[in-house]
């Protein structure tokens, strides 16, 4: 069998899950109805919070990335590595850490009380933006840092010897080419963020479109209104995704981050300030999560073990599906495969989940298929990331060994097993770790479908937070954090063991 044929099936399945579910949503949309004030408020809030989150993330990332690019210090490589932590940190766990630092009973509010100032309140617009900056500041920093490190060091030496303005001649052109792409990618991520708005938002003044979809399905069971909102969400995300992919951004965020160019410009104190501020902002919530989680472990309810098992099973199933689909797409070239690989970015999990709910509801109870649907949707959301990791490795292996394989008559499964898979273990392992960690932290689709007996660990943690069992929620957060890291490490490490053999 040709290696390109499974790619056609995978592309068809992905297009069916994205465009097919959107079609199902369109079929049930309330076309005769009009948006109410609450719907317009949700659309306006979604756009405003995404705009503010993306702008703040990129603006703050500029001095942090510049400081990291021109300073060498002990622990720099570790700090750069930790900038990738938000990719695998479950959202609900990170929000708990932010509340422990910036909430009304958090560390910052305690410090303000000592000087007679009122406590902070991060519920609402401010909290949603703060959480999105926490997740996306590292992403913007890594994109800009890669841009800085791509500038040849010889140009900095020449500028220093001539006394030329480095910022205007070298740095500003790079920022102007990288920052728009970073802004649009983060804007797209914030548009489809659900868990942050669910925990820190809500109410008529802080509801996103995704949260409005969830409320229409979960509380009002108004599928027509949910369908109309889902179409709006898909249209906005698709438009932003199209613009984002039209903007040129540098490839390979993980390479070259440890190459430090010798610089003579800039203030050491200013660079130290920005690096320390970013490290404190990112690492302090993580430290609080660990400390509070250890104290809350004795208060964990007995049902948490079953929820943990369900989360791990869903994550493993989701990872297998994502890897199979991504590898099939990577083996097949063409516009259809490329479109199928990026389209899930425009279709948010709640839009796909709403479409599946519309399809399944007349036939069976959605709760009975909650875990299977969650695994499938989580795999769908991980495919764009996995494809971008696996595809370059497939291209490189074919370029290096394709002619030799052709000469030996290796085709189909034999070519995949002997030539490609041994050289794809590292990217497949890394992609699997990302997919597993993303699935472990999901609080979107499962919240839409799950009944009392299908809750996963993030949903159980969210319900503990809603019941004001703070200590137990902190313990659940630590378990969720540990399981996510373990799964990520297991897949990533498994891909690297004897990878060169």
């Amino acid at each position: 069998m040709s290696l390109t044929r499974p790619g056609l099936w995978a592309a068809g399945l992905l297009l069916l899950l994205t465009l097919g579910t959107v079609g199902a949503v369109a079929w049930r949309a309330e076309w005769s109805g009009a948006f109410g004030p609450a719907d317009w408020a949700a659309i306006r809030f979604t756009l405003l919070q995404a705009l503010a989150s993306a702008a703040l993330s990129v603006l703050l990332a500029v001095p942090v990335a510049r400081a990291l690019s021109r300073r060498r210090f002990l622990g720099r490589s570790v700090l750069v590595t930790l900038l990738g932590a938000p990719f695998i940190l479950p959202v609900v766990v990170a929000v708990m850490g932010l509340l422990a630092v910036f909430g009304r009973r958090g560390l910052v509010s305690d410090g303000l009380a000592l000087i007679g100032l009122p406590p902070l309140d991060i519920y609402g617009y401010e909290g949603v933006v703060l959480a999105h900056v926490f997740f996306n500041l590292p992403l913007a920093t890594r994109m800009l840092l890669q841009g800085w490190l791509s500038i040849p060091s010889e140009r900095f030496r020449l500028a220093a010897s001539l006394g030329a303005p480095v910022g205007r001649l070298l740095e500003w052109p790079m920022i102007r080419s990288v920052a728009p792409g970073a802004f649009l990618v983060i804007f797209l991520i914030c548009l489809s963020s659900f868990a942050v708005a669910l925990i820190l938002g809500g109410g008529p003044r802080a509801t996103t479109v995704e949260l409005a979809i969830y409320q229409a399905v979960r509380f009002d069971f108004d599928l027509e209104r949910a369908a109309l909102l889902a179409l709006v969400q898909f249209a906005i995300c698709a438009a932003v995704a199209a613009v984002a992919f039209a903007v040129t951004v540098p490839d390979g965020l993980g390479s070259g981050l440890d190459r430090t160019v010798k610089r003579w410009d800039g203030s050491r104190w200013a660079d130290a300030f920005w690096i320390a501020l970013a490290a404190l902002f990112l690492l302090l919530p993580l430290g609080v999560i660990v400390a509070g989680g250890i104290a809350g472990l004795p208060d964990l309810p007995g049902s948490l073990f079953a929820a943990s098992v369900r989360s791990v099973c869903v994550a493993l199933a989701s990872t297998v599906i994502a890897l199979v689909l991504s590898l099939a797409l990577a083996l097949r070239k063409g516009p259809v495969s490329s479109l199928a690989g990026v389209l899930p970015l425009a279709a948010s999990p709640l839009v796909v989940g709403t479409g599946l709910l519309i399809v399944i509801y007349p036939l069976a109870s959605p709760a009975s298929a909650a875990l299977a649907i969650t695994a499938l949707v989580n795999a769908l959301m991980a495919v764009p990331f996995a494809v971008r990791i696996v595809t370059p490795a497939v291209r490189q292996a074919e370029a290096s060994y394709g002619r030799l394989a052709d000469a030996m008559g290796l085709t189909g499964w034999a070519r995949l097993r002997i030539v490609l898979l041994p050289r794809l273990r590292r990217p497949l392992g890394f992609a699997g770790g990302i997919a597993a960690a993303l699935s472990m932290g999901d609080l979107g689709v499962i919240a839409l479908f799950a009944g009392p007996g299908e809750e996963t660990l993030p949903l159980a943690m969210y319900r503990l937070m809603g019941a004001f069992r703070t200590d137990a929620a902190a313990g659940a957060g630590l378990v969720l954090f540990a399981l996510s890291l373990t799964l990520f490490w297991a897949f990533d490490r498994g891909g690297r063991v004897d990878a060169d053999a």
Side-chain angles (χ1 to χ4, degrees):
M1 183 178 66
S2 171
L3 286 180
T4 60
R5 187 174 300 173
L8 185 61
W9 297 342
L13 177 61
L14 290 169
L15 292 176
L16 181 65
L17 286 173
T18 50
L19 298 181
T21 52
V22 171
V25 168
W27 174 63
R28 288 296 299 268
E30 195 176 35
W31 297 108
S32 58
F35 285 127
D39 299 325
W40 284 114
I43 295 172
R44 186 167 54 250
F45 180 80
T46 300
L47 295 174
L48 287 177
Q49 62 84 19
L51 184 66
S53 301
L56 281 174
S57 298
V58 174
L59 288 175
L60 292 174
V62 170
V64 177
R66 182 173 58 181
L68 286 171
S69 72
R70 62 187 181 187
R71 301 300 169 201
R72 186 189 298 273
F73 55 89
L74 184 63
R76 177 183 177 277
S77 60
V78 175
L79 180 61
V80 172
T81 301
L82 287 176
L83 290 179
F87 288 108
I88 60 174
L89 184 66
V91 175
V92 64
V93 177
V95 171
M96 172 168 279
L98 290 174
L99 285 171
V101 176
F102 299 102
R104 292 184 66 86
R105 298 179 180 178
L107 299 177
V108 176
S109 292
D110 291 343
L112 293 175
L114 295 177
I115 56 177
L117 294 177
L120 298 177
D121 185 3
I122 64 170
Y123 285 99
Y125 174 82
E126 295 80 4
V128 172
V129 173
L130 175 69
H132 283 160
V133 171
F134 175 80
F135 284 109
N136 296 302
L137 173 61
L139 174 61
T141 300
R142 293 194 69 159
M143 296 179 76
L144 288 165
L145 178 59
Q146 187 61 28
W148 247 292
L149 295 179
S150 67
I151 302 175
S153 59
E154 292 77 12
R155 297 190 181 184
F156 286 106
R157 290 196 194 95
L158 182 61
S161 63
L162 297 176
V166 171
R168 183 168 62 85
L169 294 180
L170 299 179
E171 295 179 329
W172 173 243
M174 183 279 300
I175 294 173
R176 195 171 53 187
S177 66
V178 175
F183 175 85
L184 287 171
V185 169
I186 295 172
F187 186 77
L188 179 61
I189 294 173
C190 295
L191 279 179
S192 57
S193 172
F194 169 72
V196 169
L198 178 66
I199 300 172
L200 296 176
R205 298 179 58 187
T207 296
T208 61
V209 175
E210 294 238 330
L211 188 55
I213 296 171
Y214 168 76
Q215 292 168 347
V217 174
R218 192 70 181 180
F219 301 136
D220 305 329
F221 203 67
D222 187 349
L223 293 183
E224 287 78 11
R225 178 169 173 262
L228 188 60
L229 289 168
L231 280 181
V232 171
Q233 175 75 7
F234 182 83
I236 295 174
C237 290
V240 176
V243 177
F245 279 95
V247 175
T248 301
V249 294
D251 290 328
L253 297 179
S255 63
L257 295 179
D258 290 333
R259 180 173 66 85
T260 304
V261 178
K262 187 175 182 180
R263 300 282 296 271
W264 294 268
D265 58 307
S267 167
R268 289 181 178 275
W269 290 108
D271 289 345
F273 169 78
W274 284 110
I275 292 173
L277 188 64
L280 191 66
F281 178 61
L282 296 174
L283 300 182
L284 185 58
L286 298 181
V288 173
I289 290 169
V290 174
I294 293 174
L297 287 178
D299 297 322
L300 289 178
S303 60
L304 205 74
F305 176 76
S308 302
V309 173
R310 281 192 286 270
S311 282
V312 172
C313 291
V314 168
L316 293 176
S318 172
T319 302
V320 172
I321 297 171
L323 290 181
V324 171
L325 292 175
S326 303
L327 181 58
L329 290 177
L331 293 172
R332 181 182 179 85
K333 299 179 181 178
V336 175
S337 298
S338 300
L339 177 64
V342 300
L343 201 57
L345 286 177
S348 72
L350 281 189
V351 173
V352 177
T354 303
L356 291 174
L357 175 63
I358 290 172
V359 173
I360 292 173
Y361 181 68
L363 306 174
S365 169
S368 61
L371 297 180
I373 293 174
T374 301
L376 185 61
V377 176
N378 287 347
L380 179 71
M381 295 301 118
V383 163
F385 301 100
V387 166
R388 288 180 65 87
I389 295 170
V390 176
T391 300
V394 172
R395 301 287 182 267
Q396 184 176 0
E398 283 289 351
S400 301
Y401 302 97
R403 289 186 179 180
L404 179 60
D406 291 338
M408 298 177 66
L410 291 174
T411 59
W413 168 248
R415 187 187 188 99
L416 178 65
R417 180 174 59 85
I418 298 173
V419 179
L420 296 179
L421 282 183
R423 290 159 185 85
L424 298 179
R425 289 184 56 179
R426 288 176 186 271
L428 283 175
F430 180 62
I434 294 290
L438 290 177
S439 181
M440 279 296 299
D442 172 68
L443 187 59
V445 180
I446 192 65
L448 196 67
F449 284 92
E454 294 89 17
E455 67 176 10
T456 57
L457 189 52
L459 186 57
M461 180 183 170
Y462 171 70
R463 288 173 175 170
L464 288 172
M465 293 172 67
F468 300 103
R469 297 179 61 181
T470 308
D471 292 340
L478 180 60
V479 174
L480 178 57
F481 186 31
L483 287 175
S484 299
L485 285 179
T486 301
L487 282 180
F488 175 80
W489 176 84
F491 277 100
D492 186 44
R493 177 62 180 166
R496 287 185 283 115
V497 172
D498 298 329
D500 296 325

